[in-house]
Amino acid sequence: MKKEPSTGQDRSSSSYTKKLFSPHLKKRGHQRSMTMEEYRALCAHAQDHAVEFWGELAQRNLEWERPFTRVFNDQRPPFYRWFEDGVLNASVNCLDCHIGTDIEHKVAFHFEAEDGAPGQVTYRELLDRVCRVANALKALGVKKGDRVVIYLPMGVEGVVAMLACARIGAIHVVVFAGFSAKALHERIRDTEAVMVITANVQCRAGRQLPLKAIVDGALDMGGCDHVAHVLVHERTSEPWNSVDGRDGSYKEYVDGQSSFCAPEMVEAEHPLFILYTSGSTGQPKGLVHATAGYLLWAKQTMQWSYDIHPDDVFWCTADIGWVTGHTYVTYGPLAAGATQVILEGTPLYPNAGRVWQVIQKYAVSIFYTAPTLIRALIKAAGQDKDYAPEGYDLSSLRILSSVGEPIDPTSWMWFYQKVGHENCPYIDTFFQSETGGHMIAPIPGVTPLLPGSCTLPLPGIAAAIVDESAEELPNGKGGMLVIKRPWPALARTIWGDDQRYRESYFPEELGGTLYLAGDGAIRDEETGYFHITGRIDDVLNVSGHRLGTVEIETALIGWEEMVAEAAVIGRPDENTGEAVCAFVVLKHPIPTREEAEKIAHVLRQRVARDISPIAKPKDIRFGQGLPKTRSGKVMRRLLRSIVRGEALTQDMSTLEDPSILEQFMTTL
């Protein structure tokens, strides 16, 4: 297991990072969820009476067809089971439970197309649409336990497809619509999906991207005979290729279906979805999340992290292809009965003013986004005053939040001051695809805020920082972030690979009982607050997207006639958090500058094709060989120093050929 925990940025460089900010909330007739003393008492109760604590939350938050009698089963660690004899349905907990209440005719989603055309759907209407798609799936032979891949653009239809699968007990596998045919193919084949739900096109940044054509390309790669049907939502009138006997449109299969579909009740541990995340060994990991434990945490964290109330308008900018979109666009807000905003395309198109226009137009009260978008907004506001937040009415905002990567204190302060006018708590959240929902985050109106810190664990989450011997470290000393006790929302396994799950998240080197988050962290000496310092494995975090270095290296080396070796690392980037940097060894002599630029262009296009445009290397450097030890191990720490412009002061006594380093000093 690779462990190189960072000691973190020098937080003393900013005057903000030692100042605690008030946790107060705007007064809107809401009572605070708790006090700081009550938070500490709840954490103590969760620690001392864990089974009782989780059982109480599950009884209070979820609607059960058959209530559970057993909260926790730890007979086969780390494959823990929660509420296992209970029976429920996730779509019922998100939709049916609101029918007959004040929420039934409340707006579930304000939807805005990329061209600005508005629309909305109520909870009643959303349930009807979910039932029609669910009935279409059943008519096409999809049944409980089948896997359905969803490859749709951001919009209400993606949420409907997810809930339709949940309604009939099928397991949805959402794939980000920016991923390539190859990445899609891997996920279809690995899950043995029986159906793909897609759209003819995706409207993004003024273009129409042919999603159905990408699906066709993925299925043509072979090994996908288990896909019996491709269901196509016709977003536009753009024609698409239809394969007889396999492909059909919503108009053909969905529109005429009944708006009633009896829900399939499933066991608490029944898989709700599989979500793929990058792994340090190259092959993406299909994380399996169980219905009850995941749904419980999605709903509970909406209450703790966002103090959600009936009059709130919640906007999470995450795509449903990522865990944030699963938990804080689909399941959490809908289970809580919230009104949301959902946008097609990117919030920055046609310009950065769209973000502020949307907040003003829909009176957004809770705005949840990524540090990457915040940095882009800062840059746009500095270049053109028309895109500055001061020019818009943002008075509806009461909570600001971010996710995906640690946020620097300077950006934190800009968001807090310029957007929230120091009246909105900044909820800096830490969680992962594996954890299902927020793990470390302030509670608005309760936790004092510290710029650049996600503050303290939520009740029930026993977070700690340890060294390589699993010894807990004191405040002020950086190490590896772990969770010491199980909790219901943790992914149950990696699809088809229990052993990889155990080795990845519960390594024997740490005793086999601690959940290894894969991130380095450090706790503030004075407050005990957590600061996340970055990945300790070979996974990069680019604009909040986790990318495996081995996957990118594989794409580069795939140009067999040209590339002999490649090593990929990350470096800090002010816009994307981390930038992909590639060190490439060609099979031919080092080219001229002009030739190198052409080769670099081709390499970037190959990575975009095989993985995603997000994964394209920002920097590419060429050399005659990679810096290796005499045993053949690439010395990545030296490469990190090179891309960061640091002096090479490390011990290089084991480096086989020091002259190689000079060749990598030039970047393209």
Side-chain angles (χ1 to χ4, degrees):
M1 178 177 62
K2 183 179 176 132
K3 309 182 201 75
E4 294 181 3
S6 164
T7 57
Q9 63 178 357
D10 178 11
R11 291 181 298 282
S12 64
S13 62
S14 170
S15 60
Y16 306 134
T17 54
K18 290 298 180 183
K19 178 183 177 182
L20 290 175
F21 287 77
S22 169
H24 74 272
L25 278 164
K26 284 183 178 179
K27 293 181 179 179
R28 291 178 51 164
H30 301 162
Q31 292 184 341
R32 287 200 300 173
S33 57
M34 67 181 84
T35 65
M36 197 63 184
E37 291 72 24
E38 290 169 334
Y39 158 80
R40 294 191 181 98
L42 190 58
C43 289
H45 174 62
Q47 177 174 330
D48 298 338
H49 306 282
V51 172
E52 179 184 345
F53 170 79
W54 291 114
E56 290 169 347
L57 289 185
Q59 288 174 344
R60 184 168 70 240
N61 279 284
L62 301 181
E63 286 204 3
W64 297 88
E65 176 73 10
R66 186 179 72 211
F68 59 90
T69 63
R70 185 176 184 179
V71 175
F72 182 48
N73 182 342
D74 62 350
Q75 293 179 355
R76 188 174 166 250
F79 304 100
Y80 304 109
R81 299 174 68 82
W82 293 86
F83 325 116
E84 59 185 339
D85 61 341
V87 172
L88 76 169
N89 180 277
S91 77
V92 168
N93 275 270
C94 291
L95 299 174
D96 304 60
C97 64
H98 303 309
I99 303 303
T101 74
D102 292 342
I103 297 174
E104 177 176 357
H105 300 294
K106 177 182 176 181
V107 173
F109 287 106
H110 293 290
F111 171 70
E112 186 165 297
E114 189 170 66
D115 62 6
Q120 65 181 38
V121 56
T122 66
Y123 273 86
R124 173 76 258 180
E125 292 165 342
L126 187 61
L127 174 59
D128 291 349
R129 288 171 66 171
V130 166
C131 286
R132 288 192 179 93
V133 174
N135 282 325
L137 299 186
K138 289 170 64 177
L140 291 170
V142 180
K143 59 186 182 302
K144 177 182 176 181
D146 284 343
R147 277 76 63 202
V148 175
V149 167
I150 298 172
Y151 189 65
L152 285 167
M154 192 59 181
V156 177
E157 285 306 328
V159 174
V160 168
M162 295 167 74
L163 292 172
C165 289
R167 193 160 193 87
I168 66 172
I171 304 167
H172 62 69
V173 186
V174 183
V175 179
F176 174 54
F179 273 176
S180 67
K182 184 174 183 295
L184 178 62
H185 170 257
E186 290 174 346
R187 289 150 176 79
I188 293 172
R189 189 176 60 178
D190 190 48
T191 58
E192 297 183 328
V194 301
M195 175 183 282
V196 178
I197 302 177
T198 189
N200 60 333
V201 298
Q202 172 179 207
C203 299
R204 187 174 180 86
R207 297 183 298 157
Q208 292 189 7
L209 307 176
L211 291 191
K212 174 56 167 60
I214 295 173
V215 171
D216 290 342
L219 296 178
D220 288 344
M221 291 179 183
C224 299
D225 293 342
H226 37 78
V227 175
H229 298 283
V230 176
L231 188 58
V232 182
H233 168 56
E234 293 179 303
R235 170 63 184 86
T236 68
S237 59
E238 189 72 19
W240 50 278
N241 177 58
S242 180
V243 176
D244 289 342
R246 188 194 72 184
D247 301 347
S249 69
Y250 271 47
K251 189 173 185 178
E252 180 180 358
Y253 286 110
V254 175
D255 289 359
Q257 294 290 342
S258 167
S259 61
F260 172 78
C261 177
E264 176 77 27
M265 295 298 165
V266 300
E267 305 79 10
E269 283 294 311
H270 179 74
L272 177 60
F273 63 85
I274 301 168
L275 180 62
Y276 281 80
T277 186
S278 294
S280 59
T281 60
Q283 180 65 28
K285 297 176 289 191
L287 299 167
V288 180
H289 276 281
T291 300
Y294 167 82
L295 189 61
L296 165 64
W297 200 231
K299 184 177 181 182
Q300 183 62 64
T301 52
M302 283 296 298
Q303 296 166 9
W304 281 340
S305 300
Y306 297 125
D307 184 48
I308 196 75
H309 283 78
D311 59 344
D312 278 314
V313 177
F314 184 78
W315 182 22
C316 172
T317 63
D319 192 279
I320 58 169
W322 311 112
V323 69
T324 306
H326 278 55
T327 309
Y328 299 108
V329 173
T330 301
Y331 290 106
L334 293 178
T339 293
Q340 294 184 75
V341 173
I342 192 167
L343 257 63
E344 182 178 46
T346 167
L348 295 175
Y349 181 84
N351 55 61
R354 187 185 189 195
V355 171
W356 316 127
Q357 290 166 358
V358 166
I359 293 173
Q360 177 178 282
K361 179 177 180 180
Y362 297 104
V364 171
S365 57
I366 304 171
F367 182 38
Y368 189 26
T369 190
T372 299
L373 181 58
I374 295 171
R375 288 190 291 265
L377 293 170
I378 294 172
K379 182 177 180 181
Q383 293 175 341
D384 190 329
K385 65 179 182 180
D386 288 341
Y387 304 147
E390 292 88 343
Y392 300 82
D393 179 5
L394 307 182
S395 59
S396 61
L397 287 170
R398 71 182 191 93
I399 293 176
L400 303 174
S401 186
S402 68
V403 68
E405 59 187 293
I407 186 165
D408 61 282
T410 301
S411 299
W412 191 105
M413 284 300 302
W414 183 89
F415 207 39
Y416 181 71
Q417 293 177 329
K418 300 293 186 180
V419 180
H421 302 290
E422 302 189 21
N423 287 320
C424 302
Y426 190 132
I427 310 304
D428 180 4
T429 64
F430 168 80
F431 78 112
Q432 303 170 304
S433 300
E434 295 85 348
T435 72
H438 299 159
M439 301 295 284
I440 307 175
I443 298 175
V446 179
T447 315
L449 308 170
L450 183 63
S453 170
C454 49
T455 69
L456 297 170
L458 292 175
I461 305 303
I465 299 172
V466 302
D467 62 17
E468 295 185 16
S469 301
E471 293 294 323
E472 196 159 343
L473 296 169
N475 292 354
K477 189 170 179 59
M480 294 177 290
L481 179 64
V482 299
I483 310 298
K484 297 189 291 183
R485 292 194 304 273
W487 72 101
L490 178 64
R492 296 300 187 258
T493 189
I494 293 171
W495 180 257
D497 200 341
D498 285 354
Q499 185 61 28
R500 188 182 181 196
Y501 175 82
R502 186 192 298 272
E503 292 173 353
S504 297
Y505 302 115
F506 295 89
E508 288 299 325
E509 296 97 312
L510 297 182
T513 60
L514 300 177
Y515 169 77
L516 178 66
D519 282 290
I522 187 171
R523 298 189 74 168
D524 185 83
E525 290 187 68
E526 298 175 14
T527 63
Y529 281 10
F530 284 78
H531 293 262
I532 307 301
T533 57
R535 300 296 300 171
I536 63 171
D537 56 20
D538 288 325
V539 175
L540 307 183
N541 193 327
V542 181
S543 298
H545 306 306
R546 291 178 63 185
L547 302 170
T549 58
V550 177
E551 289 180 276
I552 303 173
E553 290 167 1
T554 300
L556 295 169
I557 298 170
W559 192 5
E560 296 181 6
E561 335 53 283
M562 183 65 69
V563 179
E565 287 185 289
V568 170
I569 61 163
R571 66 163 172 79
D573 184 272
E574 64 178 5
N575 294 317
T576 60
E578 245 185 321
V580 178
C581 302
F583 293 80
V584 177
V585 179
L586 302 177
K587 291 185 176 180
H588 308 290
I590 296 178
T592 64
R593 176 83 184 187
E594 182 178 356
E595 292 170 334
E597 288 175 348
K598 292 179 180 178
I599 294 170
H601 174 74
V602 174
L603 289 172
R604 290 187 176 102
Q605 296 309 308
R606 292 181 69 93
V607 171
R609 182 197 67 193
D610 288 352
I611 304 173
S612 169
I614 298 167
K616 288 195 297 187
K618 190 164 188 177
D619 299 339
I620 296 181
R621 301 168 187 248
F622 296 103
Q624 292 179 335
L626 297 175
K628 298 179 181 178
T629 64
R630 291 176 179 83
S631 63
K633 182 179 180 180
V634 177
M635 300 183 72
R636 293 175 183 270
R637 58 186 171 87
L638 297 179
L639 299 179
R640 290 190 185 94
S641 293
I642 289 174
V643 298
R644 293 174 182 176
E646 300 170 348
L648 297 176
T649 58
Q650 304 101 317
D651 176 20
M652 292 187 286
S653 59
T654 60
L655 184 60
E656 186 176 32
D657 183 5
S659 67
I660 285 175
L661 297 175
E662 289 294 327
Q663 300 168 8
F664 288 118
M665 295 303 177
T666 302
T667 182
L668 294 175

